[in-house]
Amino acid sequence: MIELDRAGRSFKVKREVVHAVRDLSLTVAAGEFVGCLGPNGAGKSTTIKMLCGILTPTSGTVRVAGLDPSRRRTALARRLGVVFGQRTTLWWDLPLVDSFELIRHLYKVDRATFRSRLGELTETLDLGAFLRTPVRQLSLGQRMRGDLAAALLHAPDVLVLDEPTIGLDVVSKAGIRDFLRRVNAERGTTVLLTTHDLGDIERLCRRVVLIGHGSLAFDGTLEELMATAPGQSSIEEVVTRLYTAGAQ
Amino acid sequence: MVRTYFLLAWTWTRAAAAYPGSFVLMVALGFVAAALDVAVVLIIFANTTALAGFSREEVLLLYGAAGLSFSLCDTFVSNLDRVSQHIKSGTFDTFLIRPVGAWIQLTTDRFNATRVGRVLQAAIVLGYAIAALGIGWERGWMIPVMVATGVVIFAALWTLAAALQFVLTDAPEVTNAFTYGSNQLTQYPLAVYARDLVKGVTYVLPLAFVNWQPGLYVLGRDDPFGTPEAMRFLGPAAALVLALPAALAWRQGIRHYRSTGS
C-alpha cells in the first residue's frame, strides 16, 4: 500500500544541501498498522509529506496506493486520510460541521453515505457537543477528534498521522488510540503514524520503524525492537539507546 | 471545477454574511473607492476635451472594460496572493492533501464577496460608455470577448505572481506591482504612454490586449502607433499564450514547495 524505494529529499539551506531523508526504503502492506519513531529532525515529517504529495522527493521513488503522490496528488487524496497533530486541516473560522460538509463535497461523498459515516464518527469520537462550534474555539483534544473524523469521512484506504497524540491528556490519548485500533481492525485501513509517545507504539503498533538521520535505523516488531538491547526492560530505555547510538 | 469553486466561495460568503451590517458596508465602500477612481478621469476631462485624441466617453469605455476584467479577477482570483502567507506558515500543506487543485482552494480561501462593489462600478461605467457612444452589435460583439480576454490575462498575471512566491517566499509587494500596476496602466488609452512601453505591453506582457487593441476595434479607430488591423483580434490568442506559462509556473511552484519544519 505504501512503497518507498531509496526515497530522498534534500533542502538547500544557505547554499548547503541538507538531506532530510536519504535512501529510505520501506514497504507497508494493506491492513498493516505501523508506528514510526525517531528523534526530532530525523525526517519523519518529511517522509509523511512525501507520502501525501506535499513534498516532491529529490531522489528515489514513492508510491502510495499504486500512485506517485507528487504527480497524482489529487487522485491520491481520495484514497488517503491525513492528520497533522501540530496543525489542523479543518477550516479555522468555520463550525466543525461546515468543515465536514465541505469535505463531503470536495471528496464527492454522497449524502446518505456521508450521513451514516458522520453519525458513526460522531458517536465513536464523541463529537456531538461541539459540532456547531468554530474550529478555532475547540480545545486541542476536541480539535484532534474533529481532524480524525475529517480524515476518515471519505473512507480512505490509507490513514497517515503525524504525531496525532501530541499534547493530549491521558484520557484523550486513550480515546484516540482506541479509535485508531478500531479503524484498523474493523475497516482494514492501513495506518502509518509517527509519534514520540512510546505508549502509542506499545498499545497500537504491531510493526515499528525507526528513522534516524533520514534513513531507516530499525524495522521490525515490538519484540524484535526490545531484543536489540538484551537486559533492558522498558521500551524507553531501548529507544533511548537506539537514538543515542544513532547520534554517534 | 466551477461547482467546487462556487461551493467554497459560498461557504466563505455565508460565514461573512453572519455579520450583515459589515458586509453591506464593505460592498458600499468598494463601490465608492472605485467611483473615486473614475472621478479622476472626469476631472481630467473637465480641463480638456480629448486625451491623446480620445473623447471622454471613449476613455470611459476603455476604463470600464479594463476595470470590469480587473475587478472580476480581484474578486475571484486575487486571493492567490495569500499564498505567501500560507507558504511561510506552512499552512499550504493542508491545501495539498485535498482531492481538488490547490489553485481553486486558494482562490476561494476566505473568499470576499464584498469586492463585487467594484465589479458593479466598472459595469456601470462600461454600460454608460456603450450607451453614450451608441455602439451597436456590429462592433459591440467584441466587448464581451474583450472582457473575457482581460479576465484571463489578469488571472494569468496573478497566477504567475503567486507562482513566484514559491521562490521568493516573502515578496507579495513585488508581485503586486505586476497585478495592481497592470490595472493602473490599462485604465487609460495606451496612446498616452511612450512608444517603447506600449511595445513592451503588446509583445512582452500582453496588457495591450486587455482593452486597448480590441477597444480600438469597438471604437472603429486606427492604432496611433500604427499596428495592423489584424492585431485587434489577437486578444484571445495572447491571453492563452500568457495563461500557458502561468499554469506551468504554478505547477513548478508546487513541486518546489518546501513546507516548514515538523
Side-chain angles (χ1 to χ4, degrees):
Chain A
M1 207 43 118
I2 299 175
E3 275 171 78
L4 290 138
D5 185 21
R6 299 177 63 85
R9 170 74 205 205
S10 56
F11 295 96
K12 246 195 210 130
V13 182
K14 291 179 185 155
R15 289 185 198 171
E16 261 179 68
V17 178
V18 178
H19 296 278
V21 172
R22 66 170 110 197
D23 283 346
L24 184 66
S25 298
L26 176 70
T27 309
V28 178
E32 274 198 276
F33 200 129
V34 179
C36 181
L37 285 172
N40 294 113
K44 299 186 300 296
S45 294
T46 303
T47 306
I48 295 277
K49 284 171 186 172
M50 286 197 289
L51 295 180
C52 310
I54 293 172
L55 290 175
T56 309
T58 42
S59 63
T61 57
V62 179
R63 284 256 181 289
V64 178
L67 301 169
D68 177 347
S70 67
R71 292 195 178 276
R72 304 287 314 280
R73 202 183 65 243
T74 48
L76 175 63
R78 287 185 196 288
R79 305 186 54 188
L80 184 68
V82 185
V83 175
F84 297 115
Q86 312 256 32
R87 174 176 299 140
T88 184
T89 59
L90 301 166
W91 286 261
W92 198 240
D93 296 310
L94 300 181
L96 193 55
V97 71
D98 283 14
S99 276
F100 291 160
E101 187 65 30
L102 267 179
I103 286 169
R104 175 178 95 73
H105 284 283
L106 294 183
Y107 289 84
K108 298 193 167 67
V109 180
D110 70 79
R111 209 174 281 275
T113 316
F114 171 76
R115 209 168 294 147
S116 80
R117 271 190 209 138
L118 183 58
E120 217 174 287
L121 288 164
T122 304
E123 199 188 321
T124 46
L125 286 165
D126 200 14
L127 308 173
F130 51 89
L131 268 179
R132 309 216 157 268
T133 312
V135 172
R136 65 182 129 80
Q137 290 172 12
L138 299 180
S139 74
L140 186 60
Q142 292 173 330
R143 203 213 78 202
M144 189 50 67
R145 284 182 277 158
D147 263 303
L148 268 174
L152 290 166
L153 275 171
H154 61 292
D157 301 328
V158 187
L159 181 62
V160 176
L161 310 105
D162 194 9
E163 303 189 37
T165 55
I166 193 165
L168 299 184
D169 65 63
V170 278
V171 180
S172 304
K173 267 183 198 171
I176 293 217
R177 284 171 186 159
D178 191 42
F179 177 75
L180 289 176
R181 191 184 307 113
R182 280 181 63 179
V183 169
N184 175 250
E186 290 168 18
R187 292 209 50 256
T189 309
T190 312
V191 183
L192 175 72
L193 64 79
T194 73
T195 186
H196 288 299
D197 189 320
L198 300 170
D200 292 346
I201 301 286
E202 280 181 309
R203 288 181 183 77
L204 289 173
C205 307
R206 291 185 286 276
R207 182 174 165 201
V208 187
V209 163
L210 200 140
I211 294 179
H213 300 292
S215 47
L216 203 63
F218 174 84
D219 182 0
T221 62
L222 187 58
E223 291 72 43
E224 286 165 349
L225 179 72
M226 298 302 288
T228 59
Q232 303 288 356
S233 55
S234 82
I235 181 170
E236 272 84 2
E237 284 162 6
V238 176
V239 170
T240 308
R241 273 175 63 118
L242 277 168
Y243 280 14
T244 45
Q248 281 154 16
Chain B
M1 191 163 133
V2 175
R3 260 197 65 201
T4 310
Y5 185 99
F6 282 100
L7 172 85
L8 286 163
W10 174 240
T11 308
W12 285 112
T13 308
R14 225 178 26 187
Y19 310 96
S22 115
F23 188 80
V24 171
L25 195 68
M26 290 295 286
V27 174
L29 270 177
F31 186 87
V32 172
L36 282 176
D37 226 19
V38 99
V40 175
V41 176
L42 299 179
I43 289 167
I44 293 172
F45 278 97
N47 297 299
T48 176
T49 51
L51 187 63
F54 288 79
S55 75
R56 187 174 77 173
E57 278 66 31
E58 288 176 320
V59 171
L60 285 178
L61 181 94
L62 293 173
Y63 172 94
L68 188 56
S69 301
F70 184 80
S71 57
L72 282 170
C73 266
D74 194 30
T75 308
F76 293 107
V77 184
S78 73
N79 287 326
L80 277 181
D81 57 25
R82 287 173 183 278
V83 75
S84 81
Q85 284 164 290
H86 286 300
I87 291 171
K88 258 192 301 180
S89 62
T91 42
F92 191 68
D93 286 8
T94 55
F95 291 99
L96 297 178
I97 62 162
R98 303 278 176 228
V100 172
W103 194 87
I104 294 276
Q105 292 182 70
L106 254 179
T107 48
T108 52
D109 180 40
R110 280 149 227 261
F111 177 79
N112 188 350
T114 59
R115 292 193 175 117
V116 296
R118 288 174 177 273
V119 178
L120 203 66
Q121 183 268 352
I124 290 172
V125 171
L126 181 62
Y128 163 78
I130 293 169
L133 292 164
I135 293 167
W137 272 117
E138 65 283 3
R139 280 180 186 271
W141 63 268
M142 181 61 103
I143 293 171
V145 176
M146 166 162 79
V147 172
T149 302
V151 168
V152 174
I153 289 175
F154 283 128
L157 276 179
W158 248 300
T159 306
L160 272 174
L164 218 54
Q165 299 299 329
F166 286 101
V167 189
L168 302 174
T169 306
D170 194 16
E173 282 75 18
V174 174
T175 53
N176 277 352
F178 281 96
T179 51
Y180 291 91
S182 302
N183 176 41
Q184 296 288 325
L185 191 108
T186 51
Q187 283 182 349
Y188 294 96
L190 290 187
V192 305
Y193 299 110
R195 179 175 287 270
D196 287 337
L197 178 69
V198 177
K199 268 190 187 154
V201 297
T202 306
Y203 301 110
V204 185
L205 204 63
L207 293 173
F209 297 98
V210 169
N211 61 345
W212 173 243
Q213 288 286 354
L216 288 172
Y217 172 79
V218 174
L219 297 171
R221 300 182 62 130
D222 290 329
D223 185 352
F225 296 108
T227 57
E229 173 87 24
M231 292 281 281
R232 316 288 177 267
F233 306 97
L234 290 182
L240 287 181
V241 166
L242 185 64
L244 205 71
L248 285 174
W250 177 250
R251 273 182 70 95
Q252 279 305 311
I254 286 183
R255 285 187 75 80
H256 285 95
Y257 174 57
R258 298 162 57 113
S259 188
T260 52
S262 97

